[in-house]
Amino acid sequence: MAGKSVIDDAREVRRATELVELGARLQVLETETKLSRERLLRLYKEVKGKSPPKGLLPFSTDWFVTWMPNIHASLFMSIYSNLIKSSELDDVDAITKAYRLYLEHCGTHDMEVVLSMTRAWRLVKFVDAGMLRRCPCTRCAVRFVMRSDDLANQFVCGLCNVPSRAGKTNAARAEREQRDELVVH
Amino acid sequence: MKTEQLLEEIRDANLTYLLLAQHLIRADKPQALFRLGVSEHVADIIEALSTGQLLKIAGTNMLMCQFRFDDEIVWNLLTSHSEDRSRNMMSGVRAAMLMSDQLAEAA
């Protein structure tokens, strides 16, 4: 490829490496960098030490509106839009930076990481395409992710209106039992 | 004596704060704007300050850092703590979202 800048190429490779490290799938890399598929494959194997997972990316907006994913998605989106508003960033850079900050939040608040890098990227694409949007909750005014064609005027967020079985997963129960056991002994 | 001690403590806090801010901005500006809650304009000024200027600013009788929220809701969310882990998780998320949205609106 004649006339291709080496510096640009290095930047693309660095960006792709960062994305792979954060757990992005190959499709994300193909969309967001100008590198060839072969090089991306090699890079992926080099960074992760294994072949990228095959198959389609999740393509439905449904996942983002279920209770727990919605909270995580909304948190990510508010960090992301903050970054986009306060500094001039490329979409990809803003997504990786926001994702790192999101991981940080999960780490400091002892939360499970629910949103993967690929999902986060997908989320931003959905919002850009107008399929999802952020909408203020009518009770707490915090903006949550919702489907664009859902009604907004009576929207109550997942934190104000917690579903009765929310958080009662097997994992949560196992952890609670473990903690109770510790107290007994 | 007591005032002098206070002034010294203020100077120490100022210096630590300014140095940390400068460090954050130089390491990663967009992230620093998020963490510090300042505008890009202010960040540029802080980034360009020399050590001498930093010392001079730190040596005033006022604190250079300010509490970020006037909002009682955010304070309540940040200080609330309960036995229930999922409650804690929820107030943490809500506080983080309120904070970053407020920041974006001000910018």
Side-chain angles (χ1 to χ4, degrees), chain B residues 76-84 87-88 91:
Chain B
N76 286 341
L77 286 170
L78 288 172
T79 50
S80 72
H81 185 84
S82 84
E83 277 298 296
D84 189 354
R87 287 252 155 255
N88 283 334
S91 53

Side-chain angles (χ1 to χ4, degrees), chain A residues 124-173:
Chain A
V124 172
K125 298 289 153 192
F126 278 140
V127 174
D128 286 349
M131 291 162 78
L132 293 172
R133 64 185 163 129
R134 298 207 308 143
C135 168
C137 163
T138 44
R139 279 192 218 158
C140 67
V142 180
R143 295 167 77 188
F144 281 77
V145 171
M146 69 183 286
R147 280 201 200 90
S148 296
D149 46 11
D150 282 347
L151 286 176
N153 54 7
Q154 282 163 24
F155 172 66
V156 178
C157 72
L159 292 181
C160 289
N161 186 18
V162 181
S164 55
R165 293 200 40 79
K168 297 199 170 47
T169 58
N170 285 336
R173 197 177 58 220

Side-chain angles (χ1 to χ4, degrees), chain B residues 37-100:
Chain B
V38 296
S39 69
E40 196 166 8
H41 180 61
V42 176
D44 287 337
I45 297 173
I46 297 174
E47 189 182 9
L49 290 176
S50 69
T51 317
Q53 286 171 314
L54 277 184
L55 283 168
K56 194 158 178 254
I57 300 171
T60 58
N61 61 352
M62 274 181 280
L63 271 172
M64 285 296 125
C65 43
Q66 201 179 10
F67 288 111
R68 274 167 82 154
F69 310 105
D70 312 327
D71 206 330
E72 204 179 327
I73 306 170
V74 181
W75 285 105
N76 286 341
L77 286 170
L78 288 172
T79 50
S80 72
H81 185 84
S82 84
E83 277 298 296
D84 189 354
R85 255 193 66 199
S86 66
R87 287 252 155 255
N88 283 334
M89 179 285 272
M90 286 189 235
S91 53
V93 170
R94 202 185 304 219
M97 288 173 68
L98 273 173
M99 286 193 265
S100 64

Side-chain angles (χ1 to χ4, degrees), chain A residues 34-81:
Chain A
K34 295 190 199 80
L35 303 176
S36 69
R37 194 182 155 80
E38 285 71 39
R39 291 187 70 195
L40 286 175
L41 264 169
R42 281 219 317 268
L43 185 77
Y44 194 100
K45 281 186 193 163
E46 217 176 302
V47 176
K48 287 265 171 177
K50 59 178 182 196
S51 297
K54 295 178 182 65
L56 293 174
L57 291 189
F59 54 85
S60 156
T61 53
D62 291 351
W63 187 83
F64 295 103
V65 291
T66 48
W67 185 69
M68 188 55 118
N70 185 255
I71 293 170
H72 284 253
S74 305
L75 172 65
F76 172 81
M77 271 318 281
S78 83
I79 299 173
Y80 172 80
S81 21

